[in-house]
Each structure stands twice: as structure tokens, then as C-alpha cells.
């Protein structure tokens, strides 16, 4: 029997098509892996010393590569009829890059940080300065300083010892570090001589202390990369490739699952339920492991997150191998079919729809969290809002076949666009962030049901032999180009 029947209560039973068991498991594991990478890659890059400018540049390069890669893969899939083999290849590329990230160094440039210390008196004599909190550590052992100003004040202890003079080198040690208020990123440092404590200066010798100024420097060779520019290029190449493999894998899953559901008269939305469950499960699992497993002492590391990503990707590959896609036939006369499709006005309206919807989706993804933080949203609230967006969609995805049959896939496009308008209009009135948890329910129309309708519409509009190509194009317009 192709059906697995599970008795629930008083004759009620749950029937599962055995063909889709490995599909569900593969979707769950891949979406868990993909969302872990999506959540932790940006913070990993920040830890390695990258700025927002770097991330923006990487994203711009990735968008081009993702669009080209997705469409090339769609054409290749139609031409060869081997979506599973191609997807496994992208899994391998994705996993290798994740593994590579666990060995890559930071890209902090090596330089000498300097700041000027002057005498200060607050119950005790010491030297102090105000500088970025990143300049000195609280327990710096050795700071090289050059005396830039030392007035020759008459005092027996110092004239006779003659241990200080202009341009002489001394070593200092930071004895206290206090962060300034208003979250400016600036700290007040207190320092003293490493070998000669100025606490021996009596209260009457404050003038001597005040006559001393020095420039102190800290070499960052222990926490920097002399080949930082080369590694920035390498990182950019790796980020572009992992983003491409990440995106194309999603598109290939759409191709495989839609074909299977169409062949077995099953519900694509019900398979997407497992995608969302994986999406919701992956980051918390990785976050828990990051919290409980410390792989490098006190130093923060995201190695566990990448290894968890590789583990879920490997599981997805194992389950995917069990999926039978043998009935997928290679296409012939593709360019002739492309010309016929290009002459169809409905296809161009479909492309325009995806550009508009994709632009709205991208705007929400990029600026939604930013706007909420601006009105006081916590990281927890942002996470809850994102999670609720997926949770809202689960019952609608499970019953998506019913919704599509009652409303029609074309008719769903209109409320989906209106959902984007409602989302943005509602956000414009927010004064406190918590209502965003409710507003995220618009994702039922704008994301969950919309994408099911798009995949069903491709079956209608694309001729045989171009199904994979048009699905890949749709995904690129919706999630990458816009």
C-alpha cells in the first residue's frame, strides 16, 4: 500500500502517502539548515571584523549570482531531467563552504592605535584618557608610551633621578576602564606606570604630574590579519557562492516537490508545512547548542552553528536520495518553447506581478525589523514576530488545496498584494512595537498562500519542458532580484 494510515481517535485516521515521507523529512532538514545559515552568517561575519559596507557589497554581488545561478539551474534541470542530482551537488557546495567558514580567520587590519594620556587627580594621582572602548583592554599588560610633554619642574626626587624627559619611552598598564553613558562607545581609561608607580608622588607634586603628557600605542598583531584585504576577497567569493547554493537549493526543492504533488494529485501546501516547521526549528536548535557548547574557551565562535547546518544538510541529502524523481523527462526544443512563451502576454503580466510582490517582500524583509527596533522592539520581540509569521501560515498551508480550489490561484494574487499594502499601512501607525506580532499575520496571504498559488500557476502557464525554468525564474524574481 502507498498509504500509511495512523489511527487517531474513534475511527478517525491520518493517511500519509508513503511517497512523500522522505520529501517531508528532506524539506524539514533543509529548511532548518538554510535558516540557521541565514540567521547566523551575518553575525559570524560581524564577529570576523566585517562592516555593513562589506555586507552590502557581498549582498549586491550575491543577488546577481543568485539570479543567474537559479535561472541557469532551471534551464539545466529542464535539459537534463535530473533535479535531484543537481540539488545534491548544491548541497555539497553549501556544506563545503560552511565547513570552510569554521577555519577562516578574521579580517581585522593590523595597525597601531594611539591615544594621548594626561595627568588626572581624583583621590589618587593617575593618567587618564577618553577613547573608543575597543582601543584598550582592561587588563592590557604592556602599552608603549612616548613622553610628549614634560616640564622640568624643580623637585629633588625627580631632578636627581632624572627618570622622565621629553621623547623618553615608558611602559604603562591600564588599571581601570569605565564605559561612558549614552551608549557612545567611548570609555574613560585610567593608567599608571608599569614599573614606577606615580602614587609615590605626594599631594604637593600634582604640578609635576600635570606637566606630563604622553602618547601611548597598542599593537593589535595578536588580533589582526596582515593579509586582511586578500581574505576580504576570499570571504566575498565564499559568501556569494553559499548564497547562490542556498537560493538555488530552495528553487530545486520547489521544482521537485511541485512535480511530485502534481504527479500524485497531492497538496503542495501540505509539503510546505514541513518546510515552515524546519524553518522554525533550525535556529533555536543551533542557538541552544551555541549556548551550551563552548568550543573555544571564552572566545565567541559560531563553529557549532555551521556544523549544525552541515548536519541538517547531510540528513536532507539522505532523505532526498530516497525520493523517486525518475519520471522527470528531459526537455527538447527548449528555445522554440521559450519563444512561444515570450509571445504570451499573460507571461509578462506574471513577471510584472512577481516583480511587484518581490519588491514588497524584500522591503519588508530588509526594513521591517529595522523600523521596529527604531520604535523600541527588543531582539526577543523581533524573533517572536518572525516566528509567528510562520506559525500563522501552518493551518493555511495544510489546507491550501482547499483554499486554491475555492478562491482560485489567480484570485489569490489580488489579496496577496493587498496584504503587503495593509502591512506597510499598519506599520506606519505603530507607536509601540508589539502589534507587529499581529500584523505579521498578513504573511498568510503575502507569502504562504501566494507562493503556493505561484507554483500552481506555473503549471498552467509554462509548457512541458520549461516548468523548471519558469519556477526558477519565479523564485528569482520573488526572492532575489527584488
Amino acid at each position: 500500500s502507498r498509504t500509511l494510515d495512523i489511527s487517531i481517535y474513534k475511527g478517525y485516521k491520518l493517511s500519509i502517502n508513503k511517497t512523500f515521507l522522505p520529501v517531508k523529512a528532506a524539506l524539514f532538514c533543509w529548511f532548518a539548515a538554510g535558516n540557521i545559515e541565514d540567521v547566523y552568517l551575518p553575525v559570524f561575519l560581524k564577529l570576523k571584523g566585517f562592516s555593513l559596507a562589506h555586507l552590502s557589497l557581498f549582498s549586491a554581488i550575491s543577488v546577481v549570482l543568485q539570479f543567474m545561478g537559479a535561472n541557469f539551474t532551471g534551464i539545466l534541470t529542464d535539459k537534463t531531467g535530473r533535479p535531484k542530482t543537481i540539488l545534491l551537488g548544491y548541497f555539497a557546495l553549501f556544506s563545503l563552504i560552511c565547513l570552510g567558514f569554521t577555519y577562516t580567520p578574521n579580517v581585522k587590519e593590523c595597525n597601531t592605535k594611539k591615544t594621548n594620556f594626561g595627568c588626572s587627580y581624583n583621590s589618587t594621582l593617575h593618567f587618564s584618557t577618553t577613547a573608543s572602548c575597543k582601543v584598550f583592554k582592561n587588563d592590557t599588560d604592556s602599552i608603549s608610551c612616548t613622553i610628549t610633554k614634560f616640564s622640568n619642574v624643580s623637585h629633588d626626587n625627580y631632578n636627581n633621578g632624572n627618570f622622565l624627559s621629553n621623547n623618553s619611552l615608558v611602559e604603562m598598564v591600564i588599571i581601570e576602564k569605565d564605559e561612558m553613558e549614552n551608549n557612545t562607545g567611548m570609555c574613560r581609561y585610567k593608567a599608571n606606570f608599569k614599573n614606577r608607580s606615580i602614587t609615590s608622588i605626594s599631594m604637593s607634586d600634582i604640578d609635576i604630574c600635570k606637566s606630563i603628557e604622553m602618547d601611548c600605542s597598542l599593537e593589535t598583531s595578536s588580533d589582526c590579519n596582515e593579509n586582511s584585504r586578500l581574505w576580504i576577497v576570499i570571504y566575498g567569493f565564499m559568501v556569494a557562492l553559499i548564497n547562490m547554493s542556498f537560493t538555488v537549493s530552495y528553487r530545486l526543492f520547489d521544482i521537485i516537490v511541485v512535480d511530485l504533488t502534481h504527479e500524485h494529485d497531492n497538496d503542495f501546501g501540505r509539503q510546505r508545512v514541513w518546510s515552515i516547521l524546519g524553518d522554525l526549528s533550525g535556529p533555536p536548535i543551533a542557538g541552544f547548542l551555541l549556548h551550551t557548547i563552548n568550543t573555544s574557551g571564552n572566545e565567541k565562535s559560531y563553529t557549532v552553528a555551521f556544523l549544525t547546518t552541515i548536519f541538517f544538510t547531510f540528513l536532507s541529502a539522505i532523505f532526498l536520495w530516497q525520493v523517486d524523481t525518475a519520471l522527470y523527462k528531459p526537455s527538447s526544443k527548449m528555445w522554440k518553447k521559450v519563444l512561444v512563451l515570450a509571445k504570451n502576454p499573460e507571461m509578462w503580466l506574471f513577471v510584472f506581478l512577481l516583480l511587484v510582490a518581490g519588491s514588497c517582500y524584500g522591503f519588508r524583509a530588509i526594513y521591517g525589523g529595522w523600523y521596529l527596533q527604531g520604535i523600541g522592539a527588543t531582539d526577543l520581540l523581533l524573533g517572536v514576530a518572525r516566528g509567528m509569521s510562520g506559525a500563522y501560515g501552518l493551518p493555511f498551508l495544510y489546507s491550501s488545496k482547499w483554499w486554491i480550489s475555492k478562491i482560485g490561484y489567480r484570485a489569490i494574487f489580488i489579496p496577496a498584494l493587498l496584504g503587503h499594502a495593509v502591512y506597510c499601512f499598519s506599520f506606519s501607525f505603530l507607536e509601540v512595537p508589539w502589534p507587529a506580532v499581529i500584523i505579521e499575520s498578513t504573511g498568510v496571504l503575502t507569502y504562504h498562500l501566494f507562493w503556493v498559488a505561484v507554483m500552481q500557476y506555473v503549471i498552467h502557464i509554462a509548457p512541458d519542458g520549461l516548468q523548471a525554468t519558469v519556477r526558477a525564474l519565479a523564485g528569482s524574481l520573488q526572492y532575489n532580484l527584488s
Side-chain angles (χ1 to χ4, degrees):
S1 175
R2 281 190 170 187
T3 304
L4 176 65
D5 296 325
I6 302 174
S7 297
I8 301 176
Y9 178 72
K10 291 185 178 181
Y12 291 98
K13 62 181 180 179
L14 178 65
S15 296
I16 301 175
N17 191 326
K18 292 180 180 179
T19 303
F20 288 93
L21 286 176
V23 175
K24 298 176 192 295
L27 284 170
F28 177 89
C29 292
W30 167 245
F31 273 73
N35 207 24
I36 293 172
E37 186 270 346
D38 193 34
V39 169
Y40 289 106
L41 180 60
V43 291
F44 164 77
L45 293 174
K46 181 180 179 181
L47 179 68
K48 291 297 183 180
F50 288 94
S51 65
L52 284 174
H54 290 124
L55 296 182
S56 299
L57 178 61
F58 292 167
S59 297
I61 296 172
S62 296
V63 165
V64 177
L65 196 60
Q66 286 170 327
F67 183 78
M68 295 174 60
N71 287 286
F72 170 77
T73 302
I75 295 171
L76 182 64
T77 301
D78 275 327
K79 197 69 178 175
T80 63
R82 297 179 179 273
K84 184 171 72 173
T85 304
I86 297 171
L87 179 53
L88 290 173
Y90 278 110
F91 275 3
L93 176 62
F94 180 82
S95 299
L96 284 173
I97 298 174
C98 284
L99 183 63
F101 278 135
T102 64
Y103 293 99
T104 49
N106 64 53
V107 295
K108 298 173 184 176
E109 293 186 2
C110 294
N111 53 44
T112 301
K113 299 173 181 177
K114 293 184 178 181
T115 188
N116 180 267
F117 277 83
C119 185
S120 180
Y121 176 74
N122 183 13
S123 72
T124 60
L125 290 171
H126 56 267
F127 291 95
S128 65
T129 190
T130 301
S132 169
C133 292
K134 298 180 180 180
V135 173
F136 297 113
K137 295 181 180 179
N138 194 38
D139 56 351
T140 302
D141 289 330
S142 180
I143 302 174
S144 177
C145 300
T146 303
I147 303 296
T148 58
K149 176 184 176 183
F150 178 58
S151 301
N152 192 14
V153 180
S154 176
H155 191 279
D156 292 340
N157 291 338
Y158 298 99
N159 286 342
N160 294 335
N162 196 28
F163 73 95
L164 291 177
S165 62
N166 286 325
N167 298 321
S168 63
L169 296 176
V170 294
E171 287 191 349
M172 305 289 291
V173 61
I174 301 296
I175 58 175
E176 190 175 333
K177 174 182 176 181
D178 297 315
E179 188 168 355
M180 301 183 72
E181 297 180 356
N182 301 325
N183 196 27
T184 59
M186 302 295 286
C187 284
R188 186 74 175 174
Y189 296 93
K190 295 180 182 179
N192 216 329
F193 290 112
K194 185 175 182 180
N195 297 322
R196 303 179 182 88
S197 174
I198 65 169
T199 55
S200 61
I201 300 177
S202 66
M203 294 293 289
S204 62
D205 294 327
I206 295 177
D207 289 339
I208 296 177
C209 180
K210 288 184 176 180
S211 71
I212 302 172
E213 289 185 8
M214 62 188 78
D215 284 337
C216 299
S217 61
L218 175 66
E219 295 291 343
T220 59
S221 57
S222 62
D223 190 31
C224 68
N225 189 336
E226 294 182 356
N227 298 313
S228 60
R229 293 185 179 181
L230 173 62
W231 275 103
I232 288 173
V233 174
I234 294 173
Y235 267 104
F237 184 70
M238 293 175 69
V239 169
L241 282 180
I242 199 172
N243 284 340
M244 183 197 70
S245 59
F246 168 82
T247 300
V248 174
S249 296
Y250 280 109
R251 304 289 76 80
L252 284 167
F253 257 120
D254 282 339
I255 292 168
I256 292 171
V257 176
V258 170
D259 282 339
L260 283 172
T261 54
H262 185 61
E263 177 187 345
H264 294 276
D265 193 27
N266 209 293
D267 188 351
F268 174 66
R270 290 194 178 186
Q271 312 313 315
R272 290 278 295 178
V273 166
W274 294 91
S275 304
I276 302 302
L277 289 174
D279 209 40
L280 294 173
S281 302
I285 292 173
F288 174 77
L289 293 174
L290 282 170
H291 181 71
T292 55
I293 300 175
N294 193 344
T295 58
S296 47
N298 294 323
E299 184 180 352
K300 196 169 186 179
S301 171
Y302 290 98
T303 298
V304 173
F306 286 116
L307 293 179
T308 307
T309 300
I310 294 171
F311 174 73
F312 275 115
T313 304
F314 178 72
L315 286 181
S316 184
I318 292 176
F319 290 121
L320 181 65
W321 188 255
Q322 309 301 318
V323 178
D324 183 13
T325 58
L327 295 178
Y328 198 93
K329 302 298 182 183
S331 177
S332 59
K333 300 180 180 179
M334 286 188 63
W335 293 114
K336 184 177 180 180
K337 294 176 181 178
V338 168
L339 291 175
V340 173
L341 184 63
K343 294 178 182 179
N344 186 353
E346 194 174 356
M347 179 63 192
W348 290 106
L349 289 173
F350 183 51
V351 169
F352 180 72
L353 167 72
L354 290 170
L355 282 172
V356 174
S359 297
C360 295
Y361 178 85
F363 180 85
R364 290 176 59 167
I366 294 171
Y367 297 108
W370 188 359
Y371 181 80
L372 289 176
Q373 279 192 328
I375 58 175
T378 63
D379 290 337
L380 176 61
L381 181 60
L382 292 177
V384 170
R386 181 170 179 174
M388 287 304 297
S389 177
Y392 287 135
L394 289 176
F396 290 91
L397 284 173
Y398 189 79
S399 57
S400 63
K401 191 173 184 178
W402 183 86
W403 288 101
I404 295 293
S405 63
K406 291 295 182 181
I407 302 176
Y409 45 77
R410 285 191 184 93
I412 285 179
F413 296 153
I414 297 173
L417 293 175
L418 291 176
H420 285 298
V422 170
Y423 177 92
C424 295
F425 187 74
S426 301
F427 260 52
S428 67
F429 285 96
L430 286 182
E431 295 183 358
V432 291
W434 66 263
V437 176
I438 300 172
I439 298 172
E440 286 292 340
S441 62
T442 57
V444 170
L445 291 171
T446 61
Y447 175 62
H448 299 292
L449 289 179
F450 176 76
W451 193 243
V452 174
V454 166
M455 290 294 100
Q456 295 299 318
Y457 188 69
V458 169
I459 295 175
H460 162 76
I461 197 172
D464 291 338
L466 285 183
Q467 290 281 325
T469 301
V470 177
R471 285 184 201 128
L473 174 64
S476 299
L477 294 173
Q478 170 71 9
Y479 299 113
N480 302 130
L481 191 61
S482 301

